[in-house]
Amino acid sequence: MANILIVDDSPTELFQLKAMLEKHGHSVLTAENGADGVALCRAEHPDAVLMDIVMPGLNGFQATRQLSKGKDTSHIPVVIVTTKDQETDRVWGIRQGAKDYLTKPISEGTLLKTLDNVLETKPA
């Protein structure tokens, strides 16, 4: 199964997303802010990243842009998972390089289907 990095400053969200993924055999890394998420992604090269937007310091849009533009991380799909449900946020997230955009609360089925889709289209 895949190695997934979850970047979210909410301990509750981290716990819920991690539990959903591990239940289906994925291994999970976590970071509690954008800067740590970018650093961990560069160090560990996960198969995909689930990125919150509203975080202290480096926000999810900025972190997504850094990962999608980075030479060593541009191949790693980022899926934004956030409470921000405005169309402008969605458009901006995709423009930063996110492969998909999901709004919380997120169902287990939607999360797994989205991950399957981005992992299928990930370049080798």
Side-chain angles (χ1 to χ4, degrees), residues 89-115:
D89 295 320
R90 179 181 302 276
V91 169
W92 188 244
I94 299 301
R95 287 187 64 189
Q96 302 316 299
K99 300 301 179 202
D100 211 332
Y101 190 105
L102 302 172
T103 53
K104 298 174 185 174
I106 182 169
S107 75
E108 191 170 309
T110 299
L111 177 63
L112 294 169
K113 183 178 178 192
T114 301
L115 269 177

mmCIF file with all atom_site columns, all heavy atoms in Angstrom, residues 89-115:
data_model
loop_
_atom_site.group_PDB
_atom_site.id
_atom_site.type_symbol
_atom_site.label_atom_id
_atom_site.label_alt_id
_atom_site.label_comp_id
_atom_site.label_asym_id
_atom_site.label_entity_id
_atom_site.label_seq_id
_atom_site.pdbx_PDB_ins_code
_atom_site.Cartn_x
_atom_site.Cartn_y
_atom_site.Cartn_z
_atom_site.occupancy
_atom_site.B_iso_or_equiv
_atom_site.pdbx_formal_charge
_atom_site.auth_seq_id
_atom_site.auth_comp_id
_atom_site.auth_asym_id
_atom_site.auth_atom_id
_atom_site.pdbx_PDB_model_num
ATOM 1   N N   . ASP A 1 89  ? -11.147 29.235 -3.340  1.00 0.00 ? 89  ASP A N   1
ATOM 2   C CA  . ASP A 1 89  ? -10.122 28.459 -2.631  1.00 0.00 ? 89  ASP A CA  1
ATOM 3   C C   . ASP A 1 89  ? -9.753  27.214 -3.432  1.00 0.00 ? 89  ASP A C   1
ATOM 4   O O   . ASP A 1 89  ? -8.578  26.869 -3.556  1.00 0.00 ? 89  ASP A O   1
ATOM 5   C CB  . ASP A 1 89  ? -10.620 28.042 -1.244  1.00 0.00 ? 89  ASP A CB  1
ATOM 6   C CG  . ASP A 1 89  ? -10.863 29.231 -0.333  1.00 0.00 ? 89  ASP A CG  1
ATOM 7   O OD1 . ASP A 1 89  ? -10.053 30.170 -0.361  1.00 0.00 ? 89  ASP A OD1 1
ATOM 8   O OD2 . ASP A 1 89  ? -11.873 29.214 0.398   1.00 0.00 ? 89  ASP A OD2 1
ATOM 9   N N   . ARG A 1 90  ? -10.763 26.550 -3.966  1.00 0.00 ? 90  ARG A N   1
ATOM 10  C CA  . ARG A 1 90  ? -10.538 25.340 -4.765  1.00 0.00 ? 90  ARG A CA  1
ATOM 11  C C   . ARG A 1 90  ? -9.677  25.667 -5.986  1.00 0.00 ? 90  ARG A C   1
ATOM 12  O O   . ARG A 1 90  ? -8.683  24.984 -6.268  1.00 0.00 ? 90  ARG A O   1
ATOM 13  C CB  . ARG A 1 90  ? -11.879 24.745 -5.193  1.00 0.00 ? 90  ARG A CB  1
ATOM 14  C CG  . ARG A 1 90  ? -11.770 23.505 -6.054  1.00 0.00 ? 90  ARG A CG  1
ATOM 15  C CD  . ARG A 1 90  ? -13.155 23.000 -6.455  1.00 0.00 ? 90  ARG A CD  1
ATOM 16  N NE  . ARG A 1 90  ? -13.982 22.710 -5.293  1.00 0.00 ? 90  ARG A NE  1
ATOM 17  C CZ  . ARG A 1 90  ? -13.960 21.575 -4.612  1.00 0.00 ? 90  ARG A CZ  1
ATOM 18  N NH1 . ARG A 1 90  ? -13.151 20.610 -4.989  1.00 0.00 ? 90  ARG A NH1 1
ATOM 19  N NH2 . ARG A 1 90  ? -14.738 21.391 -3.574  1.00 0.00 ? 90  ARG A NH2 1
ATOM 20  N N   . VAL A 1 91  ? -10.048 26.709 -6.707  1.00 0.00 ? 91  VAL A N   1
ATOM 21  C CA  . VAL A 1 91  ? -9.296  27.112 -7.905  1.00 0.00 ? 91  VAL A CA  1
ATOM 22  C C   . VAL A 1 91  ? -7.858  27.469 -7.529  1.00 0.00 ? 91  VAL A C   1
ATOM 23  O O   . VAL A 1 91  ? -6.904  27.050 -8.195  1.00 0.00 ? 91  VAL A O   1
ATOM 24  C CB  . VAL A 1 91  ? -9.996  28.295 -8.614  1.00 0.00 ? 91  VAL A CB  1
ATOM 25  C CG1 . VAL A 1 91  ? -9.107  28.900 -9.690  1.00 0.00 ? 91  VAL A CG1 1
ATOM 26  C CG2 . VAL A 1 91  ? -11.328 27.836 -9.216  1.00 0.00 ? 91  VAL A CG2 1
ATOM 27  N N   . TRP A 1 92  ? -7.687  28.227 -6.448  1.00 0.00 ? 92  TRP A N   1
ATOM 28  C CA  . TRP A 1 92  ? -6.362  28.634 -6.017  1.00 0.00 ? 92  TRP A CA  1
ATOM 29  C C   . TRP A 1 92  ? -5.527  27.418 -5.615  1.00 0.00 ? 92  TRP A C   1
ATOM 30  O O   . TRP A 1 92  ? -4.337  27.330 -5.947  1.00 0.00 ? 92  TRP A O   1
ATOM 31  C CB  . TRP A 1 92  ? -6.455  29.646 -4.875  1.00 0.00 ? 92  TRP A CB  1
ATOM 32  C CG  . TRP A 1 92  ? -5.130  30.245 -4.514  1.00 0.00 ? 92  TRP A CG  1
ATOM 33  C CD1 . TRP A 1 92  ? -4.469  30.116 -3.327  1.00 0.00 ? 92  TRP A CD1 1
ATOM 34  C CD2 . TRP A 1 92  ? -4.297  31.064 -5.346  1.00 0.00 ? 92  TRP A CD2 1
ATOM 35  N NE1 . TRP A 1 92  ? -3.287  30.807 -3.371  1.00 0.00 ? 92  TRP A NE1 1
ATOM 36  C CE2 . TRP A 1 92  ? -3.146  31.401 -4.598  1.00 0.00 ? 92  TRP A CE2 1
ATOM 37  C CE3 . TRP A 1 92  ? -4.405  31.535 -6.648  1.00 0.00 ? 92  TRP A CE3 1
ATOM 38  C CZ2 . TRP A 1 92  ? -2.118  32.184 -5.105  1.00 0.00 ? 92  TRP A CZ2 1
ATOM 39  C CZ3 . TRP A 1 92  ? -3.381  32.328 -7.149  1.00 0.00 ? 92  TRP A CZ3 1
ATOM 40  C CH2 . TRP A 1 92  ? -2.249  32.644 -6.384  1.00 0.00 ? 92  TRP A CH2 1
ATOM 41  N N   . GLY A 1 93  ? -6.133  26.467 -4.924  1.00 0.00 ? 93  GLY A N   1
ATOM 42  C CA  . GLY A 1 93  ? -5.417  25.254 -4.527  1.00 0.00 ? 93  GLY A CA  1
ATOM 43  C C   . GLY A 1 93  ? -4.910  24.471 -5.726  1.00 0.00 ? 93  GLY A C   1
ATOM 44  O O   . GLY A 1 93  ? -3.759  24.013 -5.743  1.00 0.00 ? 93  GLY A O   1
ATOM 45  N N   . ILE A 1 94  ? -5.739  24.329 -6.743  1.00 0.00 ? 94  ILE A N   1
ATOM 46  C CA  . ILE A 1 94  ? -5.328  23.610 -7.955  1.00 0.00 ? 94  ILE A CA  1
ATOM 47  C C   . ILE A 1 94  ? -4.225  24.401 -8.670  1.00 0.00 ? 94  ILE A C   1
ATOM 48  O O   . ILE A 1 94  ? -3.263  23.816 -9.175  1.00 0.00 ? 94  ILE A O   1
ATOM 49  C CB  . ILE A 1 94  ? -6.547  23.357 -8.876  1.00 0.00 ? 94  ILE A CB  1
ATOM 50  C CG1 . ILE A 1 94  ? -7.605  22.498 -8.154  1.00 0.00 ? 94  ILE A CG1 1
ATOM 51  C CG2 . ILE A 1 94  ? -6.113  22.719 -10.188 1.00 0.00 ? 94  ILE A CG2 1
ATOM 52  C CD1 . ILE A 1 94  ? -7.161  21.137 -7.669  1.00 0.00 ? 94  ILE A CD1 1
ATOM 53  N N   . ARG A 1 95  ? -4.349  25.710 -8.678  1.00 0.00 ? 95  ARG A N   1
ATOM 54  C CA  . ARG A 1 95  ? -3.323  26.544 -9.317  1.00 0.00 ? 95  ARG A CA  1
ATOM 55  C C   . ARG A 1 95  ? -1.977  26.445 -8.594  1.00 0.00 ? 95  ARG A C   1
ATOM 56  O O   . ARG A 1 95  ? -0.930  26.669 -9.210  1.00 0.00 ? 95  ARG A O   1
ATOM 57  C CB  . ARG A 1 95  ? -3.761  28.003 -9.377  1.00 0.00 ? 95  ARG A CB  1
ATOM 58  C CG  . ARG A 1 95  ? -4.846  28.216 -10.431 1.00 0.00 ? 95  ARG A CG  1
ATOM 59  C CD  . ARG A 1 95  ? -5.188  29.648 -10.637 1.00 0.00 ? 95  ARG A CD  1
ATOM 60  N NE  . ARG A 1 95  ? -4.046  30.391 -11.177 1.00 0.00 ? 95  ARG A NE  1
ATOM 61  C CZ  . ARG A 1 95  ? -4.017  31.707 -11.303 1.00 0.00 ? 95  ARG A CZ  1
ATOM 62  N NH1 . ARG A 1 95  ? -5.051  32.433 -10.927 1.00 0.00 ? 95  ARG A NH1 1
ATOM 63  N NH2 . ARG A 1 95  ? -2.955  32.311 -11.783 1.00 0.00 ? 95  ARG A NH2 1
ATOM 64  N N   . GLN A 1 96  ? -2.003  26.112 -7.315  1.00 0.00 ? 96  GLN A N   1
ATOM 65  C CA  . GLN A 1 96  ? -0.753  25.942 -6.565  1.00 0.00 ? 96  GLN A CA  1
ATOM 66  C C   . GLN A 1 96  ? -0.110  24.589 -6.834  1.00 0.00 ? 96  GLN A C   1
ATOM 67  O O   . GLN A 1 96  ? 1.000   24.323 -6.399  1.00 0.00 ? 96  GLN A O   1
ATOM 68  C CB  . GLN A 1 96  ? -0.988  26.112 -5.062  1.00 0.00 ? 96  GLN A CB  1
ATOM 69  C CG  . GLN A 1 96  ? -1.583  27.438 -4.663  1.00 0.00 ? 96  GLN A CG  1
ATOM 70  C CD  . GLN A 1 96  ? -0.958  28.619 -5.365  1.00 0.00 ? 96  GLN A CD  1
ATOM 71  O OE1 . GLN A 1 96  ? 0.235   28.868 -5.234  1.00 0.00 ? 96  GLN A OE1 1
ATOM 72  N NE2 . GLN A 1 96  ? -1.754  29.344 -6.138  1.00 0.00 ? 96  GLN A NE2 1
ATOM 73  N N   . GLY A 1 97  ? -0.837  23.714 -7.528  1.00 0.00 ? 97  GLY A N   1
ATOM 74  C CA  . GLY A 1 97  ? -0.276  22.414 -7.877  1.00 0.00 ? 97  GLY A CA  1
ATOM 75  C C   . GLY A 1 97  ? -0.974  21.216 -7.273  1.00 0.00 ? 97  GLY A C   1
ATOM 76  O O   . GLY A 1 97  ? -0.564  20.082 -7.505  1.00 0.00 ? 97  GLY A O   1
ATOM 77  N N   . ALA A 1 98  ? -2.030  21.445 -6.491  1.00 0.00 ? 98  ALA A N   1
ATOM 78  C CA  . ALA A 1 98  ? -2.755  20.306 -5.913  1.00 0.00 ? 98  ALA A CA  1
ATOM 79  C C   . ALA A 1 98  ? -3.416  19.485 -7.012  1.00 0.00 ? 98  ALA A C   1
ATOM 80  O O   . ALA A 1 98  ? -3.896  20.028 -8.002  1.00 0.00 ? 98  ALA A O   1
ATOM 81  C CB  . ALA A 1 98  ? -3.807  20.800 -4.928  1.00 0.00 ? 98  ALA A CB  1
ATOM 82  N N   . LYS A 1 99  ? -3.431  18.175 -6.835  1.00 0.00 ? 99  LYS A N   1
ATOM 83  C CA  . LYS A 1 99  ? -4.058  17.274 -7.811  1.00 0.00 ? 99  LYS A CA  1
ATOM 84  C C   . LYS A 1 99  ? -5.551  17.122 -7.564  1.00 0.00 ? 99  LYS A C   1
ATOM 85  O O   . LYS A 1 99  ? -6.297  16.731 -8.456  1.00 0.00 ? 99  LYS A O   1
ATOM 86  C CB  . LYS A 1 99  ? -3.396  15.894 -7.773  1.00 0.00 ? 99  LYS A CB  1
ATOM 87  C CG  . LYS A 1 99  ? -1.929  15.929 -8.102  1.00 0.00 ? 99  LYS A CG  1
ATOM 88  C CD  . LYS A 1 99  ? -1.672  16.495 -9.480  1.00 0.00 ? 99  LYS A CD  1
ATOM 89  C CE  . LYS A 1 99  ? -0.193  16.538 -9.789  1.00 0.00 ? 99  LYS A CE  1
ATOM 90  N NZ  . LYS A 1 99  ? 0.138   17.504 -10.819 1.00 0.00 ? 99  LYS A NZ  1
ATOM 91  N N   . ASP A 1 100 ? -5.992  17.422 -6.334  1.00 0.00 ? 100 ASP A N   1
ATOM 92  C CA  . ASP A 1 100 ? -7.420  17.375 -6.011  1.00 0.00 ? 100 ASP A CA  1
ATOM 93  C C   . ASP A 1 100 ? -7.652  18.239 -4.782  1.00 0.00 ? 100 ASP A C   1
ATOM 94  O O   . ASP A 1 100 ? -6.698  18.664 -4.120  1.00 0.00 ? 100 ASP A O   1
ATOM 95  C CB  . ASP A 1 100 ? -7.892  15.936 -5.776  1.00 0.00 ? 100 ASP A CB  1
ATOM 96  C CG  . ASP A 1 100 ? -9.351  15.724 -6.170  1.00 0.00 ? 100 ASP A CG  1
ATOM 97  O OD1 . ASP A 1 100 ? -10.131 16.698 -6.109  1.00 0.00 ? 100 ASP A OD1 1
ATOM 98  O OD2 . ASP A 1 100 ? -9.697  14.597 -6.535  1.00 0.00 ? 100 ASP A OD2 1
ATOM 99  N N   . TYR A 1 101 ? -8.937  18.480 -4.489  1.00 0.00 ? 101 TYR A N   1
ATOM 100 C CA  . TYR A 1 101 ? -9.313  19.381 -3.402  1.00 0.00 ? 101 TYR A CA  1
ATOM 101 C C   . TYR A 1 101 ? -10.551 18.809 -2.741  1.00 0.00 ? 101 TYR A C   1
ATOM 102 O O   . TYR A 1 101 ? -11.584 18.657 -3.397  1.00 0.00 ? 101 TYR A O   1
ATOM 103 C CB  . TYR A 1 101 ? -9.602  20.765 -4.005  1.00 0.00 ? 101 TYR A CB  1
ATOM 104 C CG  . TYR A 1 101 ? -9.783  21.888 -3.011  1.00 0.00 ? 101 TYR A CG  1
ATOM 105 C CD1 . TYR A 1 101 ? -8.788  22.830 -2.825  1.00 0.00 ? 101 TYR A CD1 1
ATOM 106 C CD2 . TYR A 1 101 ? -10.965 22.025 -2.281  1.00 0.00 ? 101 TYR A CD2 1
ATOM 107 C CE1 . TYR A 1 101 ? -8.958  23.893 -1.939  1.00 0.00 ? 101 TYR A CE1 1
ATOM 108 C CE2 . TYR A 1 101 ? -11.134 23.072 -1.390  1.00 0.00 ? 101 TYR A CE2 1
ATOM 109 C CZ  . TYR A 1 101 ? -10.122 24.003 -1.224  1.00 0.00 ? 101 TYR A CZ  1
ATOM 110 O OH  . TYR A 1 101 ? -10.285 25.040 -0.347  1.00 0.00 ? 101 TYR A OH  1
ATOM 111 N N   . LEU A 1 102 ? -10.429 18.443 -1.468  1.00 0.00 ? 102 LEU A N   1
ATOM 112 C CA  . LEU A 1 102 ? -11.543 17.858 -0.729  1.00 0.00 ? 102 LEU A CA  1
ATOM 113 C C   . LEU A 1 102 ? -11.888 18.743 0.456   1.00 0.00 ? 102 LEU A C   1
ATOM 114 O O   . LEU A 1 102 ? -11.002 19.321 1.080   1.00 0.00 ? 102 LEU A O   1
ATOM 115 C CB  . LEU A 1 102 ? -11.164 16.469 -0.217  1.00 0.00 ? 102 LEU A CB  1
ATOM 116 C CG  . LEU A 1 102 ? -10.736 15.444 -1.272  1.00 0.00 ? 102 LEU A CG  1
ATOM 117 C CD1 . LEU A 1 102 ? -10.216 14.183 -0.594  1.00 0.00 ? 102 LEU A CD1 1
ATOM 118 C CD2 . LEU A 1 102 ? -11.881 15.122 -2.203  1.00 0.00 ? 102 LEU A CD2 1
ATOM 119 N N   . THR A 1 103 ? -13.192 18.849 0.760   1.00 0.00 ? 103 THR A N   1
ATOM 120 C CA  . THR A 1 103 ? -13.594 19.642 1.914   1.00 0.00 ? 103 THR A CA  1
ATOM 121 C C   . THR A 1 103 ? -14.016 18.736 3.071   1.00 0.00 ? 103 THR A C   1
ATOM 122 O O   . THR A 1 103 ? -14.631 17.697 2.872   1.00 0.00 ? 103 THR A O   1
ATOM 123 C CB  . THR A 1 103 ? -14.742 20.614 1.555   1.00 0.00 ? 103 THR A CB  1
ATOM 124 O OG1 . THR A 1 103 ? -15.799 19.897 0.943   1.00 0.00 ? 103 THR A OG1 1
ATOM 125 C CG2 . THR A 1 103 ? -14.259 21.692 0.618   1.00 0.00 ? 103 THR A CG2 1
ATOM 126 N N   . LYS A 1 104 ? -13.620 19.158 4.273   1.00 0.00 ? 104 LYS A N   1
ATOM 127 C CA  . LYS A 1 104 ? -13.962 18.435 5.503   1.00 0.00 ? 104 LYS A CA  1
ATOM 128 C C   . LYS A 1 104 ? -15.401 18.764 5.879   1.00 0.00 ? 104 LYS A C   1
ATOM 129 O O   . LYS A 1 104 ? -15.857 19.860 5.603   1.00 0.00 ? 104 LYS A O   1
ATOM 130 C CB  . LYS A 1 104 ? -13.031 18.880 6.643   1.00 0.00 ? 104 LYS A CB  1
ATOM 131 C CG  . LYS A 1 104 ? -11.574 18.605 6.413   1.00 0.00 ? 104 LYS A CG  1
ATOM 132 C CD  . LYS A 1 104 ? -10.762 19.233 7.536   1.00 0.00 ? 104 LYS A CD  1
ATOM 133 C CE  . LYS A 1 104 ? -9.279  19.108 7.304   1.00 0.00 ? 104 LYS A CE  1
ATOM 134 N NZ  . LYS A 1 104 ? -8.488  19.831 8.301   1.00 0.00 ? 104 LYS A NZ  1
ATOM 135 N N   . PRO A 1 105 ? -16.094 17.871 6.560   1.00 0.00 ? 105 PRO A N   1
ATOM 136 C CA  . PRO A 1 105 ? -15.636 16.527 6.897   1.00 0.00 ? 105 PRO A CA  1
ATOM 137 C C   . PRO A 1 105 ? -15.625 15.638 5.656   1.00 0.00 ? 105 PRO A C   1
ATOM 138 O O   . PRO A 1 105 ? -16.463 15.783 4.769   1.00 0.00 ? 105 PRO A O   1
ATOM 139 C CB  . PRO A 1 105 ? -16.674 16.041 7.914   1.00 0.00 ? 105 PRO A CB  1
ATOM 140 C CG  . PRO A 1 105 ? -17.915 16.814 7.595   1.00 0.00 ? 105 PRO A CG  1
ATOM 141 C CD  . PRO A 1 105 ? -17.451 18.138 7.044   1.00 0.00 ? 105 PRO A CD  1
ATOM 142 N N   . ILE A 1 106 ? -14.690 14.739 5.639   1.00 0.00 ? 106 ILE A N   1
ATOM 143 C CA  . ILE A 1 106 ? -14.488 13.889 4.461   1.00 0.00 ? 106 ILE A CA  1
ATOM 144 C C   . ILE A 1 106 ? -14.841 12.448 4.808   1.00 0.00 ? 106 ILE A C   1
ATOM 145 O O   . ILE A 1 106 ? -14.485 11.955 5.876   1.00 0.00 ? 106 ILE A O   1
ATOM 146 C CB  . ILE A 1 106 ? -13.044 14.022 3.967   1.00 0.00 ? 106 ILE A CB  1
ATOM 147 C CG1 . ILE A 1 106 ? -12.832 13.199 2.724   1.00 0.00 ? 106 ILE A CG1 1
ATOM 148 C CG2 . ILE A 1 106 ? -12.055 13.657 5.019   1.00 0.00 ? 106 ILE A CG2 1
ATOM 149 C CD1 . ILE A 1 106 ? -11.520 13.488 2.048   1.00 0.00 ? 106 ILE A CD1 1
ATOM 150 N N   . SER A 1 107 ? -15.557 11.806 3.913   1.00 0.00 ? 107 SER A N   1
ATOM 151 C CA  . SER A 1 107 ? -15.916 10.405 4.152   1.00 0.00 ? 107 SER A CA  1
ATOM 152 C C   . SER A 1 107 ? -14.733 9.512  3.799   1.00 0.00 ? 107 SER A C   1
ATOM 153 O O   . SER A 1 107 ? -13.888 9.860  2.978   1.00 0.00 ? 107 SER A O   1
ATOM 154 C CB  . SER A 1 107 ? -17.134 10.005 3.316   1.00 0.00 ? 107 SER A CB  1
ATOM 155 O OG  . SER A 1 107 ? -16.768 9.838  1.959   1.00 0.00 ? 107 SER A OG  1
ATOM 156 N N   . GLU A 1 108 ? -14.690 8.370  4.435   1.00 0.00 ? 108 GLU A N   1
ATOM 157 C CA  . GLU A 1 108 ? -13.621 7.411  4.193   1.00 0.00 ? 108 GLU A CA  1
ATOM 158 C C   . GLU A 1 108 ? -13.588 6.991  2.723   1.00 0.00 ? 108 GLU A C   1
ATOM 159 O O   . GLU A 1 108 ? -12.532 6.922  2.105   1.00 0.00 ? 108 GLU A O   1
ATOM 160 C CB  . GLU A 1 108 ? -13.835 6.203  5.106   1.00 0.00 ? 108 GLU A CB  1
ATOM 161 C CG  . GLU A 1 108 ? -12.686 5.252  5.174   1.00 0.00 ? 108 GLU A CG  1
ATOM 162 C CD  . GLU A 1 108 ? -12.891 4.230  6.277   1.00 0.00 ? 108 GLU A CD  1
ATOM 163 O OE1 . GLU A 1 108 ? -13.186 4.613  7.422   1.00 0.00 ? 108 GLU A OE1 1
ATOM 164 O OE2 . GLU A 1 108 ? -12.752 3.033  5.969   1.00 0.00 ? 108 GLU A OE2 1
ATOM 165 N N   . GLY A 1 109 ? -14.769 6.750  2.163   1.00 0.00 ? 109 GLY A N   1
ATOM 166 C CA  . GLY A 1 109 ? -14.849 6.328  0.764   1.00 0.00 ? 109 GLY A CA  1
ATOM 167 C C   . GLY A 1 109 ? -14.310 7.380  -0.189  1.00 0.00 ? 109 GLY A C   1
ATOM 168 O O   . GLY A 1 109 ? -13.561 7.058  -1.124  1.00 0.00 ? 109 GLY A O   1
ATOM 169 N N   . THR A 1 110 ? -14.687 8.629  0.037   1.00 0.00 ? 110 THR A N   1
ATOM 170 C CA  . THR A 1 110 ? -14.198 9.718  -0.818  1.00 0.00 ? 110 THR A CA  1
ATOM 171 C C   . THR A 1 110 ? -12.690 9.857  -0.700  1.00 0.00 ? 110 THR A C   1
ATOM 172 O O   . THR A 1 110 ? -11.988 10.029 -1.700  1.00 0.00 ? 110 THR A O   1
ATOM 173 C CB  . THR A 1 110 ? -14.887 11.048 -0.431  1.00 0.00 ? 110 THR A CB  1
ATOM 174 O OG1 . THR A 1 110 ? -16.295 10.898 -0.616  1.00 0.00 ? 110 THR A OG1 1
ATOM 175 C CG2 . THR A 1 110 ? -14.369 12.201 -1.267  1.00 0.00 ? 110 THR A CG2 1
ATOM 176 N N   . LEU A 1 111 ? -12.178 9.782  0.514   1.00 0.00 ? 111 LEU A N   1
ATOM 177 C CA  . LEU A 1 111 ? -10.739 9.902  0.729   1.00 0.00 ? 111 LEU A CA  1
ATOM 178 C C   . LEU A 1 111 ? -9.981  8.808  -0.012  1.00 0.00 ? 111 LEU A C   1
ATOM 179 O O   . LEU A 1 111 ? -9.021  9.076  -0.739  1.00 0.00 ? 111 LEU A O   1
ATOM 180 C CB  . LEU A 1 111 ? -10.420 9.844  2.225   1.00 0.00 ? 111 LEU A CB  1
ATOM 181 C CG  . LEU A 1 111 ? -8.935  9.895  2.591   1.00 0.00 ? 111 LEU A CG  1
ATOM 182 C CD1 . LEU A 1 111 ? -8.320  11.213 2.162   1.00 0.00 ? 111 LEU A CD1 1
ATOM 183 C CD2 . LEU A 1 111 ? -8.742  9.667  4.083   1.00 0.00 ? 111 LEU A CD2 1
ATOM 184 N N   . LEU A 1 112 ? -10.422 7.568  0.142   1.00 0.00 ? 112 LEU A N   1
ATOM 185 C CA  . LEU A 1 112 ? -9.723  6.440  -0.486  1.00 0.00 ? 112 LEU A CA  1
ATOM 186 C C   . LEU A 1 112 ? -9.819  6.489  -2.012  1.00 0.00 ? 112 LEU A C   1
ATOM 187 O O   . LEU A 1 112 ? -8.835  6.229  -2.706  1.00 0.00 ? 112 LEU A O   1
ATOM 188 C CB  . LEU A 1 112 ? -10.269 5.120  0.058   1.00 0.00 ? 112 LEU A CB  1
ATOM 189 C CG  . LEU A 1 112 ? -9.991  4.887  1.544   1.00 0.00 ? 112 LEU A CG  1
ATOM 190 C CD1 . LEU A 1 112 ? -10.784 3.712  2.064   1.00 0.00 ? 112 LEU A CD1 1
ATOM 191 C CD2 . LEU A 1 112 ? -8.508  4.722  1.809   1.00 0.00 ? 112 LEU A CD2 1
ATOM 192 N N   . LYS A 1 113 ? -10.991 6.849  -2.525  1.00 0.00 ? 113 LYS A N   1
ATOM 193 C CA  . LYS A 1 113 ? -11.163 6.948  -3.973  1.00 0.00 ? 113 LYS A CA  1
ATOM 194 C C   . LYS A 1 113 ? -10.260 8.041  -4.552  1.00 0.00 ? 113 LYS A C   1
ATOM 195 O O   . LYS A 1 113 ? -9.613  7.847  -5.592  1.00 0.00 ? 113 LYS A O   1
ATOM 196 C CB  . LYS A 1 113 ? -12.626 7.231  -4.306  1.00 0.00 ? 113 LYS A CB  1
ATOM 197 C CG  . LYS A 1 113 ? -12.905 7.290  -5.784  1.00 0.00 ? 113 LYS A CG  1
ATOM 198 C CD  . LYS A 1 113 ? -14.374 7.522  -6.072  1.00 0.00 ? 113 LYS A CD  1
ATOM 199 C CE  . LYS A 1 113 ? -14.580 7.613  -7.578  1.00 0.00 ? 113 LYS A CE  1
ATOM 200 N NZ  . LYS A 1 113 ? -15.877 8.103  -7.928  1.00 0.00 ? 113 LYS A NZ  1
ATOM 201 N N   . THR A 1 114 ? -10.203 9.183  -3.881  1.00 0.00 ? 114 THR A N   1
ATOM 202 C CA  . THR A 1 114 ? -9.361  10.283 -4.348  1.00 0.00 ? 114 THR A CA  1
ATOM 203 C C   . THR A 1 114 ? -7.886  9.883  -4.321  1.00 0.00 ? 114 THR A C   1
ATOM 204 O O   . THR A 1 114 ? -7.150  10.150 -5.272  1.00 0.00 ? 114 THR A O   1
ATOM 205 C CB  . THR A 1 114 ? -9.596  11.542 -3.477  1.00 0.00 ? 114 THR A CB  1
ATOM 206 O OG1 . THR A 1 114 ? -10.981 11.893 -3.568  1.00 0.00 ? 114 THR A OG1 1
ATOM 207 C CG2 . THR A 1 114 ? -8.737  12.701 -3.938  1.00 0.00 ? 114 THR A CG2 1
ATOM 208 N N   . LEU A 1 115 ? -7.460  9.235  -3.253  1.00 0.00 ? 115 LEU A N   1
ATOM 209 C CA  . LEU A 1 115 ? -6.073  8.785  -3.172  1.00 0.00 ? 115 LEU A CA  1
ATOM 210 C C   . LEU A 1 115 ? -5.759  7.784  -4.276  1.00 0.00 ? 115 LEU A C   1
ATOM 211 O O   . LEU A 1 115 ? -4.707  7.871  -4.916  1.00 0.00 ? 115 LEU A O   1
ATOM 212 C CB  . LEU A 1 115 ? -5.791  8.153  -1.808  1.00 0.00 ? 115 LEU A CB  1
ATOM 213 C CG  . LEU A 1 115 ? -5.287  9.096  -0.737  1.00 0.00 ? 115 LEU A CG  1
ATOM 214 C CD1 . LEU A 1 115 ? -5.117  8.368  0.582   1.00 0.00 ? 115 LEU A CD1 1
ATOM 215 C CD2 . LEU A 1 115 ? -3.998  9.780  -1.140  1.00 0.00 ? 115 LEU A CD2 1
#
